[in-house]
Amino acid sequence: MARPRSEDKRNAILDAAIAEFASRGAWSTPTSAISRAAGVAEGTLFTYFANKEVLVNELYRQLKTELAEVMLEDWPEQADPKTKYRHIWDRYVYWGVDNPEKFKVVSQLKVSDQVSEESKAAGMAPFLRLEVLARECISNGLIRDQPLPFLGAMLGAMAETTMAFVAQAKSRKGRAGYCEAGFETFWRGIVADA
């Protein structure tokens, strides 16, 4: 009789994958290292994830869902668009700073051809509210009419640069200052000309 699956073991495997992928790289990490770090037999890993590709895709979806939950928590529905963008910005920057291993793994996986199109679509689905915000701002002439993937890439690149400086700041005031400066630079870059 097959043993019932344990949510704790599954989570231990995913947590171990994050740590190992951040350290070694997603595609350089053998499943044996993940199993060892999780404290389970390698066969146990395959009880939960049929192969490494399935594990990677599941991990990608989980991390993207977590990030979306963080970014959209306490969404300021009635706020002006700049405040909404600042909400997104702050949460993304501080999630990356507070979760460097997760951030590193998401960065690796988002450019990987091993993550399926289905997983990429599932990973983007929770961010629909951000797409709607961008489309509304473009149609209202508030931000520049640029392709959404370009705007998203600009936000990501500038936020990631900001993360590096926030992470190195020695004081809370310094962290907040870098976060503010990064956002204002991003905002001035996308706001439509007056």
Side-chain angles (χ1 to χ4, degrees), residues 33-56:
I34 297 168
S35 299
R36 194 170 33 258
V40 300
E42 192 166 7
T44 301
L45 183 147
F46 295 118
T47 299
Y48 292 85
F49 306 97
N51 55 47
K52 186 176 177 181
E53 192 169 318
V54 170
L55 169 63
V56 164

Side-chain angles (χ1 to χ4, degrees), residues 15-164:
D15 289 344
I18 291 167
E20 293 298 315
F21 289 172
S23 174
R24 300 172 181 233
W27 304 111
S28 301
T29 303
T31 54
S32 60
I34 297 168
S35 299
R36 194 170 33 258
V40 300
E42 192 166 7
T44 301
L45 183 147
F46 295 118
T47 299
Y48 292 85
F49 306 97
N51 55 47
K52 186 176 177 181
E53 192 169 318
V54 170
L55 169 63
V56 164
N57 278 275
E58 178 62 29
L59 183 59
Y60 176 81
R61 288 176 182 216
Q62 177 179 306
L63 290 172
K64 292 291 279 190
T65 299
E66 176 185 323
L67 178 56
E69 288 171 357
V70 167
M71 289 172 70
L72 297 171
E73 184 179 11
D74 299 324
W75 180 249
E77 191 64 50
Q78 303 307 315
D80 63 277
K82 184 177 181 182
T83 301
K84 289 178 180 179
Y85 270 97
R86 181 63 194 261
H87 179 91
I88 295 161
W89 178 272
D90 287 350
R91 280 158 179 72
Y92 182 46
V93 167
Y94 286 111
W95 180 84
V97 170
D98 293 341
N99 298 282
E101 287 184 335
K102 290 179 179 180
F103 174 75
K104 190 173 183 180
V105 172
V106 167
S107 296
Q108 291 177 44
L109 298 183
K110 74 180 178 185
V111 297
S112 172
D113 59 359
Q114 299 294 315
V115 175
S116 71
E117 290 303 316
E118 180 183 340
S119 289
K120 288 178 183 177
M124 288 306 296
F127 294 93
L128 180 61
R129 182 175 281 159
L130 307 184
E131 183 178 324
V132 169
L133 172 62
R135 288 187 192 286
E136 287 174 357
C137 288
I138 290 169
S139 71
N140 293 335
L142 179 62
I143 65 173
R144 298 174 192 271
D145 187 0
Q146 296 292 327
L148 295 185
F150 176 73
L151 291 171
M154 291 301 293
L155 185 144
M158 294 183 85
E160 290 161 20
T161 298
T162 302
M163 285 175 201

